[in-house]
Amino acid sequence: MAAQDGGDEVRVLQSLRGKIYDAKHLVPNKMRDFFCTINLDQEEVFRTQVVEKSLSPYFGEEFLFEIPRTFQWLSFYIYDKSVLQKDLRIGKVAIKKEDLCKYTGKENWFTLQPVDSNSEVQGKVHLELKLNELITDNGSVCQQLVECHGLPLINGQNCDPYATVSLVGPSRNDQKKTKVKKKTSNPQFNETFYFEVTFCVVFCLSVLSHYPNWGTENYPIFFFFFRYLLQPRENGNKSSKTDDLGSLRLNICYTEDCVLPSEYYASLRNLLLKSSDVQPISASAAYILCEVCRDKYDAVLPLVRLLLHHHKLVPFVAAVAELDLKDTQEANTIFRGNSLATRCVDEMMKIVGKHYLKVTLKPVIDEICESPKPCEIDPIKLREGDNVETNMENLRYYVDKVFREIVRSSISCPTLMCDVFYSLRHLAAKRFPNDPHVQYSAVSSFVFLRFFAVAVVSPHTFHLRPHHPDAQTSRTLTLISKAIQTLGSWGSLTKSKLSSFKETFMCEFFKTFQEEKFTESVKKFLDDVSSTESKEPSGLKMYKRAQGRTRIGKKNFKKRWFCLTSREFTYHKQQDKEPIFTIPVKNILAVEKLDESSFNKKNMFQVLHGEKPLYIQANNCVEASEWIEALCRVTRCNQKRLSFYHPSAFLNGNWLCCKATVENTVGCARCTADVPADTQIEIDGDRETERIYSLFTINMSKLQKLEEACGSIAVYQGPRKEPDDYSNFTIEDSVATFHTLKQIIDTVEKLNESHEKYLKKRSSSAEYGSE
């Protein structure tokens, strides 16, 4: 994981997550195509899919993102989708930043408000005022408009802003205008205006562009220097009725974390990181965190990221999964609920498996979305002219292709995912020793049902596609996803399983898949992604250049047996012997061809890792290409891969390619498979710890009641007090849980003191103008 812990500065970081559920009673009162957007001020940051032909569209889309800048309003706009004309804004829900706390974590229906262009404002203005007294009764005012910041982007484009400065008095009005600044949202005006005034005047500043007005601000004369937030025009259009536009159901969770320097979090961080070592796991700080939070997802997200950042996730997942299995009575229901274990694995796969999904599914998803074939096989939903047999063939073609890409992808599966799957597999086999299939269903319930199938049906969520697919393509992806879930579920292709399908058309479709090769392919794939053992050497011989020197000082080439697994690249003197050299796959930085001129040998390639390059000669060009492809495939998710390499060898004190004399100098040629940008997993450990601290603070009363309950149980061994307050908590060991709770409460109270000191120093960077 890329280290992103903060330094000595206090940082204020914002994030937003939640869900857009549905809308009702929208106007116009007829079936239309609707979509919803999320805007920070006027900048669109999220868009739902289009729901066709509905009066009460259900979107059902979750959102999660960091907010990298200041903002005044969080808005949700409902649009009526138009094919030929501009999309029509039906209405909006606009919430002031300071009011977001009222709605955090709650599901609410919001009445849609009309969209008035005069109220759509954002930005800050830097203004200076100076009063110059003259001999006469009147005064002279020098007013300098310095700059504006954060003006809105319309459709991602900058505007052409200018400003007007007006003097409004009892007997006269005076107005002056700045020059227009082209294509900028942060204009630098630096213009000075002079007005002759009486003592009873008001100045009015307007910032405008070539599209509707953004806003105005009225300032009394005694303000002399400040930055002001732009406000809506008071003389804007009168609002239309709001009771007939409809309403929107939302769940919003806005957080603003004040992240202190890293040393402040040492105690809490250490308490959380040692959770997997606590016996029982239910007495650990990490487990207690998830118990006291009303919504477990609030706790799971920062917890998984923190444990992942410090390489402590696998043992914690294993511990909570073992506790989960104690309550599982039937093998066929293993890991099917929303327990702490399943949520941790789900979140881990989203973080770690992002690039894995991209290299596995993106090409075939692109084909489906860009060259769609009709795949509807439900007789009720067939369009006029469609042929169900042809559609079934199209669907079968897509399912085969997606399935083939998945079962061939095991070598690209991230090591961390393999480690977690290995733990789950063996825990399941231990819990149900008489069921030979449970070890596979434990893994398939995650990798097929919760990972690949979800990514297929929602490719935009996993960044496999830039936008939502259209309705017909979405339906095709849904059918493919259902098929992948079924094919990946161990033992689902039996007659008894097929007869349980609710949709008879899916039952007919799956009858064509009753072939042993599908079951065997799934089994092999699950074996590969849940194994920590290296395979036996494959028996492929190649020549490698010696890593050291012979007695006469010359390096030579020797024939060795090479083996590649998802974890390591090894070579052996003999096929059945232990490896004499091992390179962990995660340490491979690049795999590239080597110029023949280096050693006057053909079919050469090089493996770059932490030590000296390993130079290998394959038996022929085809074999060399296959090895390079295989090594690139298994290392493409490595986070430290090189962008540049040397195409030739370092011999006789210099690189033959660029003549550089320093052996560890940066390469002179760009790698053919450059570092994918999305393989980097950047986690801010301090920010995640701060988020956990905030959750403990919010739930302090629950922590204290749980501490009291543990103390009562430990001392009296009698009936629990106030069972409604903690009866849902897991208390396996009251003494150990009490001890951890006391540590949590003490640590949080110390952090409270540190935050209070900071909050006293914090001041607002902008003020609203006078009303």
Side-chain angles (χ1 to χ4, degrees), residues 540-576:
L540 293 177
K541 284 187 176 181
M542 293 187 292
Y543 290 91
K544 59 160 286 289
R545 189 174 185 238
Q547 296 289 293
R549 292 188 178 274
T550 62
R551 282 179 291 183
I552 60 175
K554 183 180 180 180
K555 292 187 178 180
N556 56 10
F557 283 82
K558 296 181 178 179
K559 182 170 282 192
R560 293 288 183 257
W561 292 86
F562 284 83
C563 174
L564 175 63
T565 72
S566 60
R567 294 181 171 275
E568 57 191 23
F569 182 49
T570 59
Y571 61 78
H572 314 243
K573 279 188 176 181
Q574 297 180 20
Q575 185 174 4
D576 57 347

Side-chain angles (χ1 to χ4, degrees), residues 324 328 333-343 346 446 450:
D324 194 11
T328 304
T333 62
I334 192 169
F335 299 133
R336 293 298 176 93
N338 284 321
S339 65
L340 176 56
T342 58
R343 292 192 181 194
D346 285 348
F446 286 105
R450 294 172 177 261

Side-chain angles (χ1 to χ4, degrees), residues 128-173:
E128 295 180 12
L129 286 176
K130 182 180 179 182
L131 177 64
N132 295 323
E133 295 289 347
L134 300 180
I135 297 174
T136 64
D137 291 338
N138 295 337
S140 174
V141 169
C142 166
Q143 185 178 58
Q144 183 178 20
L145 179 60
V146 182
E147 61 185 353
C148 292
H149 283 289
L151 302 183
L153 302 178
I154 302 299
N155 295 327
Q157 302 296 319
N158 284 315
C159 50
D160 297 340
Y162 64 94
T164 64
V165 182
S166 303
L167 179 147
V168 181
S171 60
R172 56 175 291 188
N173 295 335

Side-chain angles (χ1 to χ4, degrees), residues 734-746:
S734 58
V735 176
T737 306
F738 179 88
H739 178 69
T740 303
L741 285 164
K742 188 176 187 309
Q743 289 180 298
I744 294 172
I745 293 171
D746 291 345

Side-chain angles (χ1 to χ4, degrees), residues 721-735:
K721 296 181 179 180
E722 301 176 0
D724 290 341
D725 291 329
Y726 57 85
S727 57
N728 292 328
F729 295 148
T730 302
I731 304 178
E732 292 183 283
D733 187 323
S734 58
V735 176

Side-chain angles (χ1 to χ4, degrees), residues 387-400:
N387 182 283
V388 69
E389 286 78 16
T390 301
N391 289 3
M392 190 173 291
E393 290 177 2
N394 294 338
L395 182 60
R396 175 63 189 262
Y397 167 78
Y398 283 147
V399 170
D400 280 343

